[in-house]
Amino acid sequence: MDLRTEKSKKAITEAFLALRARRPLEKITVRELCQRAQVNRSTFYAHFQDVYDLSDRLENAAVQAVLDSIAHPEAALQDTVQFTRELFAAFAPQERQLNILFSGSRQGQMCLKIAAALMELIYQHYPERRDDLEFRIALTFRIYGGYYAFAENRRYGEEQVIAAIGRLSNGSST
């Protein structure tokens, strides 16, 4: 990618995140985004179909950044406490961007995208489990349950909540 293209994409991304932090996705127009990024509409359309395409790509990149930060995805089955800690630690550097991208009407999409990507990552390490319905249900339960349990209880102390989620994912409460 040449330097001009890289600069244009960066300007568009930064302008989008600034607008998205203040307004719902549905209220952002290509026109105002281009004005803020100081690029032509043709430049925007050379890279993205519309603001929804841009948002989707940024969401996917943020999710991938979370997954790339998980050093031991195989621990999802071997050591759920370690895996839970790694997963939540991977969220920390991306939290601000995730909160911006997945706010408003996009809020429910974060857990869906994280779960799908995380399941695929785990299946890469355990391909034999891909068609195991009970495993899939248990994994879905752990991911969704852990996400919402953390969101609801983090005010009680993130480390304590993460440790409890890890233990509960392993089937033990103490």
Side-chain angles (χ1 to χ4, degrees):
M1 183 179 331
D2 71 30
L3 187 58
R4 261 185 330 179
T5 301
E6 200 172 305
K7 283 183 177 182
S8 294
K9 280 187 164 183
K10 183 177 182 193
I12 292 168
T13 298
E14 288 174 358
F16 177 77
L17 290 171
L19 289 168
R20 188 70 180 87
R22 294 190 337 253
R23 296 212 319 259
L25 176 61
E26 300 79 14
K27 300 285 185 181
I28 298 172
T29 66
V30 172
R31 188 175 136 273
E32 85 176 312
L33 178 58
C34 290
Q35 284 176 341
R36 185 174 187 110
Q38 297 180 331
V39 299
N40 293 321
R41 287 170 56 99
S42 60
T43 301
F44 176 86
Y45 286 116
H47 303 293
F48 308 101
Q49 293 176 354
D50 53 27
V51 292
Y52 296 96
D53 177 43
L54 171 58
S55 183
D56 189 55
R57 290 188 199 188
L58 292 175
E59 289 171 4
N60 291 340
V63 166
Q64 191 59 51
V66 169
L67 295 182
D68 289 346
S69 297
I70 300 172
H72 303 287
E74 70 282 357
L77 295 182
Q78 300 166 357
D79 185 349
T80 58
V81 175
Q82 175 192 344
F83 179 75
T84 302
R85 280 199 173 98
E86 280 190 37
L87 178 60
F88 284 103
F91 271 94
Q94 302 297 321
E95 187 171 18
R96 183 176 182 281
Q97 187 166 350
L98 289 167
N99 287 339
I100 290 170
L101 291 170
F102 291 104
S103 64
S105 65
R106 302 296 301 159
Q107 189 173 19
Q109 294 299 308
M110 184 167 80
C111 195
L112 290 173
K113 285 189 175 203
I114 291 284
L118 193 52
M119 289 174 90
E120 191 54 42
L121 180 65
I122 291 168
Y123 290 142
Q124 287 173 10
H125 291 323
Y126 300 99
E128 71 280 3
R129 303 305 284 275
R130 188 177 293 275
D131 296 324
D132 182 339
L133 179 61
E134 195 165 312
F135 176 75
R136 177 178 285 280
I137 291 169
L139 195 53
T140 302
F141 185 77
R142 287 176 182 170
I143 294 168
Y144 282 87
Y147 171 78
Y148 288 109
F150 180 78
E152 279 294 313
N153 295 289
R154 73 187 298 179
R155 68 184 174 275
Y156 298 111
E158 291 185 6
E159 187 55 39
Q160 283 180 271
V161 172
I162 291 168
I165 291 169
R167 286 190 308 274
L168 292 168
S169 292
N170 197 31
S172 116
S173 60
T174 57

